[in-house]
Amino acid sequence: MSFQGKVVVITGGGSGIGETAAARLLERGARVIINGRREDVLARTAKRLDQAGDRVRAVAGDIASPATAKRLVETAEREFGRVDILINNAGIFSPKPFIEHSEEDFDTYVAIILKGTFFASQAVIPSMRRRGGGAIVNVGSMWGSQAIGATPSSAYSAAKAGVHALTKNLAIELAADHIRVNAVAPAVVQTPVYDSFLPAAQVETVLHSFNAFHPLGRIGQPQDVVSALLFLAGEEASWITGAVLPVDGGVMAGRNT
């Protein structure tokens, strides 16, 4: 699967799935613009990905702001001439009972996950139209389709369900422009997001307690999700749009017990 010469914008590109996606795309010939909120983290990631600094650009900023999405596209066009692919990966996750959610919690989930996806997608469309098409791949979630009692996450789930609905709407609306819009819906994947609400000493144990929850017997790794992202972004998926692809070790297929 080649992405030679393609220009890819990745939100949430500083670690985890976003960083892994950037690395895989660079291996396949792409040029990449990564975004994240923390400038120091983003700068270190950019350096790890591209020591020479020739094929990676980092744009720090809150993707909940449409101005950040605009800067991402401006950087891509100024530095590399266009945008071919957008991967909407930015997100947060911290399980909390519904009754304990504050208005600020709700607004933050919707802003980063749904508003960020909405306006980043809107920002890239003119560039993609000028190129005669493109691909947008959103990172949705199993939680956007199914509630899990062990991880109460109503605000997160609502925002991710919105991403799934947005994926389908944009797929129809942008099909005539040859812009394909798809999503992946992961289950439990080992990424740094869990460090934000679990003590460091507990992360490994808690995550692997979910192995049996997945019919395939293990939690996911970033590369599991990235393989699906790259498929949907690439030419092999040229007749696929509007799909929300479960990448979940079989969770949505049913239960073993």
Side-chain angles (χ1 to χ4, degrees), residues 26 43-57:
L26 289 165
R44 288 195 296 271
T45 300
K47 192 68 173 176
R48 280 197 304 272
L49 291 168
D50 179 25
Q51 288 283 334
D54 296 330
R55 295 195 293 137
V56 175
R57 298 291 182 270

Side-chain angles (χ1 to χ4, degrees), residues 48-232:
R48 280 197 304 272
L49 291 168
D50 179 25
Q51 288 283 334
D54 296 330
R55 295 195 293 137
V56 175
R57 298 291 182 270
V59 178
D62 185 354
I63 199 59
S65 167
T68 299
K70 182 179 178 183
R71 285 197 296 117
L72 278 168
V73 174
E74 289 172 347
T75 300
E77 292 192 321
R78 181 181 66 248
E79 298 291 325
F80 301 134
R82 64 185 191 271
V83 178
D84 297 296
I85 297 165
L86 168 65
I87 296 175
N88 283 307
N89 173 63
I92 56 172
F93 180 68
S94 182
K96 180 187 290 188
F98 171 68
I99 199 69
E100 295 178 15
H101 269 309
S102 66
E103 182 180 5
E104 182 181 5
D105 289 338
F106 179 85
D107 288 346
T108 300
Y109 277 109
V110 171
I112 293 173
I113 293 172
L114 184 54
K115 184 180 176 184
T117 298
F118 189 102
F119 285 104
S121 300
Q122 191 178 77
V124 301
I125 289 168
S127 186
M128 289 183 175
R129 281 175 168 162
R130 286 193 293 271
R131 296 293 300 169
I136 297 171
V137 187
N138 301 321
V139 177
S141 176
M142 174 201 68
W143 282 268
S145 303
Q146 180 169 281
I148 307 300
T151 56
S153 47
S154 52
Y156 172 84
S157 296
K160 286 295 190 179
V163 169
H164 293 184
L166 180 65
T167 297
K168 294 178 181 294
N169 277 266
L170 295 187
I172 296 302
E173 191 169 341
L174 300 175
D177 295 307
H178 304 289
I179 299 172
R180 297 183 301 103
V181 188
N182 293 290
V184 297
V188 180
V189 178
Q190 189 165 10
T191 74
V193 72
Y194 295 97
D195 298 333
S196 65
F197 63 91
L198 288 172
Q202 296 180 20
V203 170
E204 197 77 14
T205 300
V206 171
L207 283 177
H208 286 284
S209 72
F210 281 92
N211 283 336
F213 171 73
H214 304 78
L216 288 179
R218 67 171 176 88
I219 62 170
Q221 297 297 321
Q223 57 265 27
D224 296 316
V225 180
V226 169
S227 293
L229 286 173
L230 267 57
F231 167 68
L232 290 172

